[in-house]
Amino acid sequence: MEPINARSMLDAAASAAATGQPPVERRRRLLPAALAVTNQKVARAYSPIVIAGAVRLADFALLSAVGIAIYFGYVVPLDGFRWEYIGAIFGMTAATVICFQAADIYQVQVFRGQLRQIMRMVSAWAFVFLLFIGVSFFAKLGGEISRLWLSAFFFLGLAALVAERVATRALVRRWARQGRLDRRTVIVGADENGEQLVKALNEQDDTDIHVLGVFDDRNDDRAMDTCAGSPKLGKVDDIVEFARRTRVDLVLFALPISAETRILDMLKKLWVLPVDIRLSAHTNRLRFRPRSYSYLGEVPTLDVFEVPITDWDMVMKWLFDHVGGGLVLLAALPVMALVALAIKLDSPGPVLFRQKRFGFNNERIDVFKFRSLFHHQADPTASKVVTKNDPRVTRVGRFIRKSSLDELPQLFNVVFKGNLSLVGPRPHAVQGKLQSRLFDEAVDGYFARHRVKPGITGWAQINGWRGEIDNEEKIQKRVEFDLYYIENWSVLFDAYILAKTPIALMTKNENAY
């Protein structure tokens, strides 16, 4: 099967549009079974990888704090301060985390239990102390180590670990009841293959897979109404709308790899979603090397698309937005005050302007801007594009639009509302149009840019694709640059785009008015 990427998908979508095929991003009427699922309240998912990493950090910090507290409370008053103890504490703590990892303790499934993880933890903790005692004996340091400190560190450290694990267990079980640890999954293929796949997923112990239902385009006898108790929720086209009404984490194809053409046609519809997409290999006779597979329990799968920013990347992105955004907001406050004063003196009306725009996964969000049009001619839906020498733009408005100072209030969206990032695809107005066509009608696959949170600035903007969109090339280029950003995201890439933004605003503003 050929490798699939966003660029090839965009090309395929463009060719489909050229042949007159209708855009795939159209609202469809969902079946009652699908509507019943979407009407359920769903909590935001928590990453098991981040949870495990946070517990590692908590173990290291907790044990270090216990060892240092006992050292300063007992040893220092008697023998004075010695750096060797501090080194020994950090060394033992790091060795403990490594041993816990080797004992396979850092898994969400293990956190849910109690006796199993406690026994492994006690064994690993005791092993670290025996190892330390052995090393100090052979290094002839036994007489220099306080036995009371060592004993107190062992027992108090173990008590602290047990208390931490009890609290972690309570939290993890609570999150599990809320569905935050489930991987909400839909299956494509309501035939015998689909039924076998659903059974294989449901029969596994300690699985985090929650099958919501199955989708299939076929209406003949090959398509079942239910697969191993999971209802048929609609056709493949319905998955896009379904995934935007409720949380879907994984789309799993139960079709054989030999159905390449059919799979590609479906992927062209689904790649715009911010979900993992995999092909199940549980019934395929053709076997690849073991490294080619990723596993859902014991079910082998082949990865097709992955969520662009997830796990620790999402944490880094959040920190970059809130810490960096907070610093930028503080630096920009004096400029924002001057702009607000100029707007108020220039024309009557409010200083800020609120507009509905597309956010992550096509969510409608309110974006704040400084008002640049006369208040009585405001256009909240952006149904009419601002053009050069537009009479609706005020004198101050021309300047702040040219310099993009009108975008500064969106820092409040980043820092306080959290529905924008500092860097990402620019959020377009919901009714943004190219001539008489909506943007998603002009560029099929347009909504793929919403697989990540939109940003105040982006890769397209610093490369000159900003301002008025009056021809198809401009919106096509924006989408291409946005997809490149999504596929190549990193914190350093964000920092580079942010640093380049002021230069781009001064040198590449010919389309901004």
Side-chain angles (χ1 to χ4, degrees):
M1 187 172 182
E2 294 181 2
I4 301 170
N5 54 48
R7 182 56 187 253
S8 64
M9 282 293 182
L10 188 64
D11 293 341
S15 64
T19 58
Q21 296 179 19
V24 300
E25 294 289 340
R26 292 293 170 266
R27 183 176 294 271
R28 298 174 57 90
R29 188 177 184 83
L30 298 178
L31 294 177
L35 290 173
V37 175
T38 60
N39 289 334
Q40 298 173 0
K41 187 176 181 181
V42 181
R44 183 168 61 90
Y46 289 159
S47 166
I49 293 176
V50 173
I51 293 173
V55 174
R56 289 187 187 94
L57 293 174
D59 285 349
F60 186 87
L62 182 64
L63 292 176
S64 298
V66 170
I68 291 173
I70 298 172
Y71 172 64
F72 277 99
Y74 175 73
V75 179
V76 171
L78 297 177
D79 299 333
F81 180 81
R82 294 170 58 188
W83 282 106
E84 290 83 354
Y85 271 91
I86 303 299
I89 291 170
F90 285 131
M92 294 171 67
T93 303
T96 300
V97 174
I98 294 172
C99 287
F100 284 180
Q101 181 67 44
D104 212 18
I105 290 177
Y106 292 122
Q107 291 189 35
V108 171
Q109 291 86 351
V110 176
F111 295 153
R112 294 184 186 184
Q114 185 168 344
L115 181 62
R116 178 180 167 190
Q117 67 168 323
I118 295 297
M119 292 302 296
R120 290 185 183 182
M121 187 173 61
V122 171
S123 300
W125 182 236
F127 173 78
V128 169
F129 269 78
L130 291 175
L131 182 65
F132 176 76
I133 292 172
V135 170
S136 61
F137 172 78
F138 285 107
K140 298 182 179 181
L141 298 174
E144 301 180 17
I145 301 295
S146 169
R147 294 175 177 80
L148 182 59
W149 169 81
L150 192 62
S151 301
F153 188 19
F154 177 81
F155 288 107
L156 292 181
L158 181 60
L161 285 172
V162 171
E164 180 209 21
R165 282 302 192 275
V166 170
T168 301
R169 178 174 178 265
L171 272 177
V172 168
R173 289 198 164 193
R174 177 184 175 187
W175 293 337
R177 288 194 300 269
Q178 295 173 345
R180 295 184 183 273
L181 303 179
D182 290 341
R183 299 189 68 182
R184 292 167 60 87
T185 303
V186 298
I187 308 296
V188 178
D191 53 12
E192 293 182 1
N193 287 337
E195 188 166 43
Q196 291 179 27
L197 177 59
V198 174
K199 284 181 179 178
L201 293 173
N202 290 337
E203 289 173 356
Q204 297 182 106
D205 295 331
D206 293 328
T207 182
D208 61 349
I209 299 295
H210 176 201
V211 179
L212 302 177
V214 294
F215 290 82
D216 201 307
D217 283 340
R218 296 169 294 186
N219 293 319
D220 53 24
D221 295 339
R222 293 175 297 172
M224 304 177 181
D225 291 332
T226 60
C227 286
S230 297
K232 181 181 177 183
L233 301 179
K235 297 184 177 182
V236 174
D237 285 346
D238 298 323
I239 296 178
V240 174
E241 178 64 19
F242 180 79
R244 286 179 175 149
R245 292 195 181 200
T246 189
R247 197 188 95 217
V248 174
D249 303 308
L250 174 64
V251 176
L252 190 56
F253 280 77
L255 307 176
I257 296 177
S258 57
E260 179 179 356
T261 302
R262 189 176 169 208
I263 291 172
L264 281 173
D265 288 339
M266 294 179 181
L267 289 176
K268 290 171 186 175
K269 302 172 183 178
L270 303 180
W271 73 290
V272 299
L273 293 173
V275 300
D276 289 333
I277 300 179
R278 299 187 186 183
L279 304 181
S280 171
H282 72 295
T283 60
N284 290 321
R285 296 179 181 177
L286 177 63
R287 289 294 175 183
F288 299 101
R289 296 190 336 186
R291 291 182 182 179
S292 301
Y293 296 107
S294 58
Y295 287 84
L296 301 174
E298 298 180 355
V299 176
T301 65
L302 296 171
D303 295 341
V304 181
F305 290 115
E306 296 181 345
V307 178
I309 303 175
T310 187
D311 300 328
W312 284 109
D313 286 343
M314 186 176 293
V315 174
M316 296 300 295
K317 180 77 166 173
W318 187 93
L319 290 173
F320 183 85
D321 287 340
H322 286 77
V323 176
L327 295 174
V328 174
L329 179 60
L330 288 175
L333 282 177
V335 178
M336 293 173 68
L338 292 174
V339 172
L341 179 61
I343 293 171
K344 202 67 180 174
L345 295 175
D346 183 51
S347 63
V351 169
L352 293 179
F353 177 73
R354 179 185 296 177
Q355 190 176 63
K356 288 285 184 184
R357 298 201 173 190
F358 282 120
F360 174 71
N361 199 21
N362 270 31
E363 178 187 2
R364 272 58 168 175
I365 61 174
D366 289 323
V367 170
F368 297 105
K369 298 181 68 175
F370 280 127
R371 180 176 58 83
S372 58
L373 305 184
F374 289 103
H375 179 52
H376 66 282
Q377 294 180 307
D379 186 11
T381 63
S383 57
K384 183 179 179 182
V385 178
V386 175
T387 58
K388 192 172 184 178
N389 299 320
D390 196 315
R392 298 176 298 164
V393 181
T394 65
R395 291 176 299 176
V396 172
R398 290 190 183 92
F399 173 74
I400 62 176
R401 291 179 70 89
K402 191 76 172 176
S403 59
S404 288
L405 291 175
D406 62 326
E407 311 285 359
L408 286 178
Q410 291 172 25
L411 288 167
F412 293 111
N413 286 89
V414 174
V415 178
F416 298 109
K417 301 193 72 173
N419 52 18
L420 285 185
S421 290
L422 274 179
V423 180
R426 285 291 298 138
H428 292 159
V430 173
Q431 295 298 321
K433 294 179 180 179
L434 171 62
Q435 298 168 355
S436 61
R437 294 181 297 168
L438 294 171
F439 289 152
D440 64 297
E441 295 173 340
V443 180
D444 212 356
Y446 165 84
F447 287 118
R449 63 196 299 276
H450 300 153
R451 288 184 294 156
V452 299
K453 198 180 295 184
I456 296 178
T457 185
W459 183 237
Q461 281 62 45
I462 69 168
N463 283 280
W465 300 105
R466 56 186 289 259
E468 182 186 8
I469 299 175
D470 54 5
N471 60 58
E472 193 166 319
E473 182 193 15
K474 290 182 178 179
I475 185 61
Q476 183 83 23
K477 286 295 184 180
R478 284 196 187 193
V479 173
E480 288 185 14
F481 275 82
D482 288 337
L483 295 182
Y484 177 87
Y485 166 79
I486 292 171
E487 292 176 351
N488 296 276
W489 176 86
S490 70
V491 173
L492 291 178
F493 195 17
D494 272 3
Y496 173 78
I497 293 173
L498 193 62
K500 288 275 290 185
T501 296
I503 301 173
L505 292 178
M506 292 185 291
T507 60
K508 298 180 180 181
N509 59 4
E510 58 273 8
N511 292 321
Y513 30 80

